[in-house]
C-alpha cells in the first residue's frame, strides 16, 4: 500500500494530499529512510512523522484499503511521541 493512502485510511493525517505534502517535505521516514508519498509500506514497518514540534513514531500493525473510524486506530501502534524544543524554519506548519 502507498504511504500517503495508509496515512489517510489510518487517520494519522486527515487528507491524502496533505500526507503527500508532508512526505515531499522530507518529514516522514520509513524504517529510518526518507519516504516519498508513493513509497510502498508493509506490516511491521516503522514510521516516524514530524508534525511541527512533535515527532511521532508508529509501527504498522495491519493494512486495509478502507477502514471505519473505529478500525483506524487498530491499524498502527504508537511507539513514541516526543516534543522538540527548537523547530527548524522549514518545518513550521503554516496550516493552523
Amino acid at each position: 500500500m502507498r504511504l500517503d493512502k495508509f496515512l489517510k485510511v489510518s487517520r494519522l493525517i486527515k487528507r491524502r494530499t496533505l500526507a503527500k505534502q508532508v512526505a515531499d517535505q522530507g518529514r516522514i521516514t520509513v524504517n529510518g529512510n526518507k519516504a516519498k508519498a508513493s513509497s510502498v509500506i508493509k506490516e511491521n514497518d516503522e514510521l516516524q512523522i514530524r508534525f511541527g514540534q512533535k515527532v511521532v513514531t508508529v509501527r504498522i500493525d495491519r493494512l486495509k484499503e478502507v477502514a471505519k473510524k473505529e478500525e483506524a486506530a487498530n491499524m498502527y501502534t504508537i511507539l513514541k511521541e516526543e516534543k522538540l524544543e527548537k523547530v527548524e524554519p522549514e518545518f513550521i506548519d503554516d496550516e493552523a
Side-chain angles (χ1 to χ4, degrees), residues 5-37:
K5 181 162 185 174
F6 173 79
L7 292 171
K8 179 197 177 291
V9 172
S10 67
R11 292 174 170 77
L12 282 167
I13 296 180
K14 288 184 180 181
R15 295 184 317 271
R16 192 165 173 179
T17 53
L18 185 58
K20 182 181 180 329
Q21 288 175 354
V22 171
D24 290 345
Q25 292 171 358
R27 294 166 41 183
I28 301 176
T29 61
V30 176
N31 298 325
N33 302 315
K34 279 194 178 182
K36 296 181 180 179

Side-chain angles (χ1 to χ4, degrees), residues 6 9-10 60-64 67 71-76:
F6 173 79
V9 172
S10 67
I60 299 172
D61 294 330
R62 68 178 61 129
L63 299 174
K64 292 180 121 183
E71 299 171 334
N74 297 328
M75 294 178 68
Y76 60 90

Side-chain angles (χ1 to χ4, degrees), residues 56-77:
V56 179
T57 305
V58 299
R59 182 185 61 237
I60 299 172
D61 294 330
R62 68 178 61 129
L63 299 174
K64 292 180 121 183
E65 293 294 319
V66 179
K68 293 181 180 173
K69 190 174 186 178
E70 301 81 37
E71 299 171 334
N74 297 328
M75 294 178 68
Y76 60 90
T77 302

